[in-house]
């Protein structure tokens, strides 16, 4: 038996031997790393005790090793990959824990620029990136599977790049939407969404690192939907970035995400949750980005086009960027470089240099 080994004190993967006759387990191995992450990939030779593992840290690129759980010898390296992201190698990274106003425990991964002085505490602009998730009980919503020793591996959609531009970044901020018993999560979607955001900002602000008047929020797909709602129903943010999102829930009338009720069963929920229906309230700068060929059933490009037209009709500061031939995710080099440029220009104008 191989387990991920998540505990209150960290992640410690393990290998157990299970006796089918006696039903008893014997712990054969458990990782002891506290400053690195060890992943148990495969059992090479059970009799010899040889296991292929992957070891990494927040600034050490993942490499493969062979360990012997019987001899307990030092890991033997199999690969020697170097870190290809030297510019963010020494950024500060930690998983912070905090609580929502109702006591729900939340987490997020906080990045600070390399060399940032945590004693002087220069006030930085903050970028928060998230994706909401629905739960039917608070215990599940509070579970933490983030490992601070995960290698910092940016992709095209990552906000981590902006630590090199002088921002603090709170990535993968927890945004649980909980509905227990007969109550459905989306019955109080907006209230919980704003509470999640406020708790995250309060937590980073309490550390003394940020200027809470210069905070941006962003997300992709359902995270874009989250972003539009946060800008509409709170005054917590200076600007937002919404990519490949859906903004009118009546266009997904037979459910979305974990919502199982259709529009005709819960019209108030669909209308209340739709940023399009509340376009007249939205006055915060919002950058909308969408792939021209998005074939995801819930996020056709029309979603961004109609929402953009509604916002412009009410004079909101907004910009719509359509990426040619891109689908729900983006892949062309030209698209990704343009995406990064658009996001950077937006953040510099409306967040870092907010007037």
């Amino acid at each position: 038996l191989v387990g991920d080994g998540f505990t209150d004190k960290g992640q410690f993967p393990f290998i157990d031997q299970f006796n089918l006759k006696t039903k008893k387990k014997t712990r054969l191995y458990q990782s002891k790393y506290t400053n690195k992450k060890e992943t148990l990939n495969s059992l090479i030779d059970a009799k010899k005790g040889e296991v292929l593992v992957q070891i990494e840290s927040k600034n050490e690129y993942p490499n493969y090793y062979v360990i012997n759980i019987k001899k307990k010898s030092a890991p033997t390296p199999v690969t020697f990959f170097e870190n290809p992201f030297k510019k963010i190698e020494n950024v500060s990274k930690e998983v912070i824990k905090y609580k929502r106003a109702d006591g729900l425990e939340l987490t997020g991964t906080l990045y600070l620029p390399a060399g940032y002085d945590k004693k002087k505490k220069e006030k930085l602009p903050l970028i928060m990136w998230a994706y909401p998730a629905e739960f039917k009980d608070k215990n599940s919503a509070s579970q933490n599977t983030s490992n601070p020793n995960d290698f910092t591996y940016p992709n095209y959609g990552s906000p981590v790049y902006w630590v090199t531009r002088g921002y603090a970044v709170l990535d993968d901020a927890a945004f649980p939407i909980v509905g227990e018993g007969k109550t459905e999560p989306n019955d109080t979607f907006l209230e919980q969404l704003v509470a999640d955001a406020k708790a995250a900002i309060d937590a980073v602000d309490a550390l003394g690192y940020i200027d809470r008047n210069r905070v941006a929020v962003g997300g992709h797909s359902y995270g874009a939907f989250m972003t539009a709602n946060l800008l509409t129903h709170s005054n917590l943010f200076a600007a937002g970035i919404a990519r490949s999102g859906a903004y009118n829930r009546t266009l997904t009338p037979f459910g979305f995400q974990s919502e199982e009720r259709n529009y005709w069963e819960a019209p108030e929920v669909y209308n209340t949750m739709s940023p399009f229906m509340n376009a007249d309230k939205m006055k915060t700068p919002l950058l909308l980005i969408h792939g021209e060929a998005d074939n995801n059933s819930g996020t056709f490009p029309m979603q961004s086009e109609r929402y953009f037209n509604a916002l412009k009709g009410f004079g909101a500061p907004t910009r719509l960027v359509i990426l040619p031939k891109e689908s729900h995710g983006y892949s062309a080099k030209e698209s990704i470089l343009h995406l990064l440029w658009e996001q950077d220009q937006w953040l510099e104008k409306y967040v870092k240099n907010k007037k």
Side-chain angles (χ1 to χ4, degrees):
L1 299 176
V2 178
D4 291 329
F6 286 102
T7 71
D8 292 338
K9 296 181 179 180
Q11 184 180 0
F12 306 98
F14 61 85
I15 300 174
D16 284 350
Q17 179 177 292
F18 185 74
N19 189 311
L20 294 174
K21 292 182 178 180
T22 64
K23 311 297 184 186
K24 290 184 178 181
K25 289 188 297 183
T26 303
R27 179 66 42 96
L28 300 179
Y29 175 79
Q30 183 157 24
S31 177
K32 295 182 179 179
Y33 288 109
T34 56
N35 62 343
K36 295 183 179 183
K37 177 184 177 181
E38 181 178 19
T39 303
L40 306 175
N41 285 83
S42 61
L43 192 60
I44 298 173
D45 191 318
K47 291 183 178 179
K48 293 182 179 179
E50 293 180 344
V51 182
L52 181 68
V53 302
Q54 180 178 279
I55 298 175
E56 65 189 276
S57 72
K58 56 188 176 184
N59 53 15
E60 180 182 329
Y61 195 78
N63 272 290
Y64 290 98
Y65 299 80
V66 173
I67 63 171
N68 193 302
I69 62 175
K70 291 185 176 180
K71 295 181 178 179
K72 303 189 186 319
S73 54
T76 302
V78 176
T79 60
F80 302 87
F81 302 125
E82 293 187 3
N83 185 352
F85 308 110
K86 293 290 185 182
K87 196 163 185 179
I88 60 172
E89 184 177 33
N90 296 313
V91 301
S92 171
K93 176 182 180 180
E94 63 175 313
V95 174
I96 62 171
K97 299 179 181 180
Y98 50 97
K99 290 186 178 182
R100 204 166 73 174
D102 61 0
L104 192 64
E105 295 183 350
L106 308 175
T107 62
T109 303
L110 178 65
Y111 298 87
L112 299 173
Y116 178 80
D117 192 329
K118 293 184 179 180
K119 292 184 179 179
K120 291 185 178 180
K121 295 185 177 181
E122 174 192 355
K123 299 294 185 180
L124 302 174
L126 172 68
I127 301 171
M128 182 192 304
W129 208 262
Y131 190 97
E134 297 98 330
F135 298 90
K136 285 300 293 179
D137 66 273
K138 290 184 176 181
N139 288 334
S140 297
S142 291
Q143 287 185 3
N144 172 30
T145 57
S146 298
N147 190 323
N149 297 315
D150 277 324
F151 178 70
T152 304
Y153 203 125
N155 56 48
Y156 81 85
S158 172
V160 174
Y161 300 108
W162 277 270
V163 292
T164 68
R165 300 282 280 156
Y167 294 80
V169 175
L170 185 65
D171 194 16
D172 199 23
F175 267 73
I177 308 298
V178 185
E180 295 186 307
K182 294 183 179 180
T183 302
E184 294 297 327
N186 288 336
D187 291 346
T188 54
F189 178 83
L190 295 177
E191 295 89 338
Q192 292 192 65
L193 202 69
V194 173
D196 290 333
K198 185 177 185 304
I201 296 173
D202 287 347
V204 184
D205 188 32
L207 295 173
Y209 302 151
I210 64 165
D211 175 359
R212 66 181 301 139
N213 292 315
R214 293 186 296 156
V215 179
V217 63
H220 191 97
S221 194
Y222 204 53
F225 175 71
M226 169 202 76
T227 297
N229 269 308
L230 284 172
L231 298 191
T232 302
H233 299 287
S234 79
N235 59 359
L236 297 170
F237 300 98
I241 298 172
R243 300 193 316 234
S244 298
Y247 310 102
N248 183 347
R249 281 301 160 202
T250 68
L251 298 179
T252 55
F254 290 98
F256 53 92
Q257 297 299 108
S258 296
E259 178 57 66
E260 296 180 349
R261 297 168 294 185
N262 65 46
Y263 173 73
W264 296 272
E265 291 173 320
E268 284 190 22
V269 171
Y270 277 70
N271 289 325
T272 301
M273 289 178 67
S274 295
F276 180 85
M277 306 303 184
N278 298 281
D280 58 323
K281 302 174 185 176
M282 222 292 286
K283 305 301 179 186
T284 306
L286 175 61
L287 175 62
L288 293 163
I289 302 170
H290 219 114
E292 180 188 39
D294 190 340
N295 60 357
N296 183 43
S297 61
T299 59
F300 292 138
M302 177 178 66
Q303 288 275 4
S304 287
E305 293 167 351
R306 297 290 174 85
Y307 186 43
F308 171 75
N309 289 335
L311 292 176
K312 291 297 287 185
F314 285 107
T318 185
R319 176 176 171 83
L320 173 62
V321 177
I322 299 294
L323 299 175
K325 300 182 180 180
E326 296 290 357
S327 188
H328 193 57
Y330 321 135
S331 56
K333 179 180 178 180
E334 295 84 354
S335 298
I336 292 167
L337 290 176
H338 187 71
L339 167 75
L340 295 173
W341 182 85
E342 288 279 1
Q343 292 180 154
D344 187 64
Q345 293 295 300
W346 197 259
L347 293 168
E348 290 290 296
K349 180 177 180 178
Y350 290 109
V351 183
K352 182 188 282 185
N353 300 302
K354 179 185 177 183
K355 296 179 181 179

